[in-house]
Amino acid sequence: MNGLLGGTDLRPGALARLADFAASQGGATLHPPGRFALWRFGTPSGGLRAVSGDDVHAWLLGDWFEPPSPRSEPPPTQELLAAYRREGHGWVGSVVGQFALVLWDARRRELALYRDDSSAQSLYYHRLPGGGLVFSDRLDLLVSCPLVPRRLSTEGLHEYLRFLDISPPNTVYAGVFGTEPGALWLHDRHGLHQRPAPAARQAAPADPAPATLDDAAAALDDHLARAVASRVRDTAGLVVFLSGGVDSTYLCALAAASGRPVTAITVGFDDAAADESAVAAAVAAALGVPHRVLRYSTGEYRRAFEDLAAAEYPVADPAGAPTLLAFEQARELADTALDGTGADTLLGIMPPRHQRLAVQYAARLPFALRRVLAGAMAAVPRVRDYRPILDFGDPQEVLVRWRGWSRREIEQLCGRQVSLAGTRFYRVFRGFAPAEHMARYSALMGNLPDDRIHIATGLTGVRARFPFFDPGVTTFVQGLPEALRYAGGEHKRVLKHALARRVPRALWDVPKHGFDFPFDTLLAADGYALVRAYADAPTLARLGCADDAPLVRTVADYVAGARHQRFRVWALTVLGAWLQHHDLTA
């Protein structure tokens, strides 16, 4: 295990048990046990910077691209303490990086936990009776310590079945929570509480918003070029995962212009509907960038599936297996990869028209009335295709990406009322007015955890850096009128206009497949071997559902040819494999 493990305000017996565990696992003491204690195990993912001064001690995991003061060159880590003394906890909003922070102020008897918006680093915690807290940047390390029970979380299971992933604050373990990106958590004499997110540093003085698309594109290009340059200057080798889409194409163009050696990597698929290697090859050739197209056998995907099943939490994103294999290839070429995570949220995505109508208008109707109307529409050929406008449960479900179980179906499975109100997805949804379609949908896309990238970096050691999270880029784009980001049905309008300045539009302005791994083929391989091994009735019974017969029927129907159940069966197979690898039950 690699990572940090710590605790604060632990009772003597609990502190002794934690210290004994750390010693038995070879943990190195970073702060001696007392009111606060911290140990390091192995080499924490992303690297570790530590700094101490007087009564303040801080540990920063991950990358720090710019210091919190223009007067210093990064690191030096002493600037961290100086910024804390100047600004208090607000200083973290001025740091440009991808990091998690653990800060102990002994004088105030206060622990601060923070992770930036990129979600590149994680922090988890478990509250003990009596007010104590144990925490770690690694979920598997935290639940291995004797103070944390290893039980499947009911709320986490509900969220997984609905969304096919679990977002902070929930996790797959009962009583274990993740800190949300951009949120500051404090543990002091009043217990654990959350502070409002520190404000990000604003560019000063702020330039007037560009009036034309050309001006906006030129300014965006300048901001993104600086963001890429700051993220590649310390690389020994650089790769860009070039899918053929506009985000990765733009990053590849900027990386090529940075002067650093760069290799483009594309995962190709035999299924022409999912393969974008030809588009990626044309882009790489135009940029003069070495390009590798990777194609994998079913056996290689099966091996990657097993590696992911052994990871710290279940990842049902179908692109997880090819992503891990691509990172393994990247490890032979480079230590850093540029990734376009964050672009969709930043530039904005407008949901389809039927979803906008459902959220803004149909959601006002009672559920029973909507079901009656949707049933009537099914009988009329000319309008039956419009049923999705009315045929849904909670309004939030209209915008869910994966095809999981509805809340009402989960209630039938579990034999109890189920609330998803505490999930991050539902809370983000509630933060917008009914007509704020683009802002809401973009925020929800940003809510989705990019766990396949996080797991792949942890398993391979290749750093992933996300230029679209740069504060300068974020501040600029958020100040643009919506018409420069979306108009006439064109998403990411200003980004595409800027990209055309570097790469001919004819090469990349083609229908986008998305990174759609044909997981159906993997599920069906060798007589549905994965499904039979991990989504069998005994494994599904370990979920603790009151009635798991519908799950068993879903799997049987899929094996019998019901392809529309493939997302659900994939999710059950992933979860079952993870449960078997971790010997966990409800």
Side-chain angles (χ1 to χ4, degrees):
M1 292 182 289
N2 298 310
L4 300 181
L5 176 66
T8 185
D9 283 342
L10 302 181
R11 292 175 176 173
L15 181 59
R17 292 176 65 195
L18 188 62
D20 288 344
F21 169 79
S24 69
Q25 300 298 315
T29 302
L30 297 180
H31 192 279
R35 192 174 189 93
F36 170 79
L38 186 68
W39 293 269
R40 173 179 56 79
F41 298 79
T43 303
S45 177
L48 176 66
R49 295 184 179 97
V51 57
S52 296
D54 298 332
D55 292 330
V56 180
H57 312 272
W59 296 266
L60 188 141
L61 291 153
D63 294 316
W64 190 351
F65 304 128
E66 294 180 22
S69 168
R71 297 190 300 273
S72 65
E73 293 293 328
T77 49
Q78 285 297 328
E79 176 60 23
L80 186 156
L81 293 185
Y84 173 68
R85 292 188 179 99
R86 285 195 310 268
E87 307 172 40
H89 293 300
W91 76 274
V92 295
S94 67
V95 177
V96 181
Q98 296 175 186
F99 66 97
L101 173 75
V102 176
L103 188 146
W104 170 246
D105 189 326
R107 182 180 59 83
R108 302 177 64 176
R109 296 184 177 182
E110 181 183 77
L111 169 67
L113 301 174
Y114 176 81
R115 59 194 290 237
D116 80 290
D117 284 335
S118 72
S119 301
Q121 299 289 331
S122 298
L123 286 171
Y124 304 95
Y125 64 88
H126 172 70
R127 283 180 278 199
L128 298 171
L133 186 83
V134 287
F135 65 91
S136 177
D137 64 310
R138 293 282 304 184
L139 188 56
D140 50 3
L141 177 57
L142 182 59
V143 299
S144 295
C145 88
L147 303 182
V148 180
R150 286 172 53 86
R151 293 184 293 103
L152 185 65
S153 167
T154 300
E155 292 76 16
L157 175 63
H158 295 165
E159 185 170 353
Y160 182 88
L161 292 174
R162 172 64 284 225
F163 304 106
L164 308 193
D165 56 37
I166 305 173
S167 298
N170 290 334
T171 74
V172 70
Y173 291 100
V176 177
F177 301 95
T179 60
E180 297 181 55
L184 177 68
W185 284 92
L186 300 178
H187 189 279
D188 53 25
R189 66 195 63 173
H190 304 294
L192 182 68
H193 52 98
Q194 184 177 349
R195 283 262 301 269
R201 183 178 66 191
Q202 300 292 314
D207 297 325
T212 68
L213 183 60
D214 283 338
D215 290 342
L220 176 60
D221 187 78
D222 184 57
H223 283 291
L224 267 176
R226 289 201 298 268
V228 168
S230 70
R231 284 155 179 77
V232 304
R233 62 187 175 195
D234 65 342
T235 58
L238 180 66
V239 298
V240 176
F241 296 117
L242 183 59
S243 68
V246 294
D247 306 332
S248 64
T249 295
Y250 204 165
L251 291 185
C252 192
L254 293 172
S258 71
R260 308 291 298 183
V262 58
T263 301
I265 291 179
T266 302
V267 178
F269 301 111
D270 294 334
D271 185 350
D275 187 56
E276 295 186 323
S277 59
V279 176
V283 168
L287 294 171
V289 170
H291 183 224
R292 295 194 181 189
V293 178
L294 312 177
R295 298 184 186 276
Y296 299 105
S297 66
T298 301
E300 289 172 304
Y301 283 125
R302 172 67 185 264
R303 193 269 300 168
F305 178 93
E306 299 290 351
D307 288 346
L308 290 170
E312 56 183 330
Y313 49 82
V315 178
D317 187 335
T323 297
L324 176 57
L325 292 171
F327 266 82
E328 291 176 344
Q329 182 68 44
R331 182 174 53 193
E332 301 178 7
L333 304 169
D335 62 351
T336 304
L338 288 184
D339 186 83
T341 295
D344 288 348
T345 295
L346 178 62
L347 276 299
I349 300 293
M350 183 68 75
R353 185 170 182 268
H354 76 274
Q355 292 181 337
R356 302 199 299 269
L357 291 173
V359 170
Q360 187 171 358
Y361 299 109
R364 300 176 182 178
L365 302 176
F367 172 73
L369 177 59
R370 282 193 279 107
R371 289 299 300 271
V372 170
L373 293 175
M377 293 172 69
V380 183
R382 296 180 61 181
V383 299
R384 65 169 54 131
D385 290 342
Y386 296 96
R387 284 185 64 193
I389 297 176
L390 294 167
D391 194 8
F392 59 88
D394 298 339
Q396 291 87 341
E397 295 182 347
V398 175
L399 301 179
V400 174
R401 175 177 61 170
W402 305 119
R403 300 171 182 86
W405 288 259
S406 71
R407 182 177 61 81
R408 287 174 170 80
E409 287 175 317
I410 298 172
E411 288 181 335
Q412 294 173 356
L413 289 170
C414 298
R416 51 171 285 189
Q417 285 191 330
V418 169
S419 174
L420 298 170
T423 64
R424 184 168 169 81
F425 193 96
Y426 271 53
R427 288 188 288 109
V428 170
F429 186 100
R430 292 195 300 267
F432 296 88
E436 294 180 297
H437 299 295
M438 184 170 168
R440 178 195 303 105
Y441 194 62
S442 301
L444 290 173
M445 294 303 100
N447 160 77
L448 297 171
D450 213 347
D451 288 328
R452 63 186 175 90
I453 301 292
H454 182 74
I455 293 293
T457 59
L459 291 177
T460 63
V462 177
R463 300 175 300 188
R465 289 178 170 172
F466 312 120
F468 286 102
F469 279 95
D470 182 83
V473 175
T474 300
T475 300
F476 171 75
V477 173
Q478 290 177 344
L480 292 176
E482 183 177 298
L484 294 181
R485 291 181 284 155
Y486 173 84
E490 183 182 26
H491 298 279
K492 302 181 181 178
R493 187 180 177 214
V494 64
L495 182 72
K496 293 177 180 178
H497 203 70
L499 174 57
R501 300 158 59 94
R502 292 183 178 267
V503 183
R505 182 179 284 266
L507 295 180
W508 50 263
D509 196 5
V510 295
K512 175 70 175 155
H513 300 312
F515 194 34
D516 293 329
F517 169 57
F519 62 91
D520 221 9
T521 303
L522 179 58
L523 285 178
D526 301 322
Y528 297 93
L530 275 179
V531 177
R532 297 185 190 281
Y534 296 128
D536 59 321
T539 301
L540 295 178
R542 294 168 63 178
L543 299 179
C545 296
D547 181 10
D548 54 25
L551 299 181
V552 175
R553 285 197 301 271
T554 295
V555 174
D557 290 347
Y558 172 74
V559 172
R563 317 320 286 176
H564 67 282
Q565 298 284 18
R566 63 188 183 278
F567 276 97
R568 291 184 170 188
V569 173
W570 173 258
L572 292 175
T573 305
V574 168
L575 182 58
W578 187 86
L579 288 173
Q580 290 190 27
H581 277 76
H582 293 78
D583 192 25
L584 195 70
T585 57

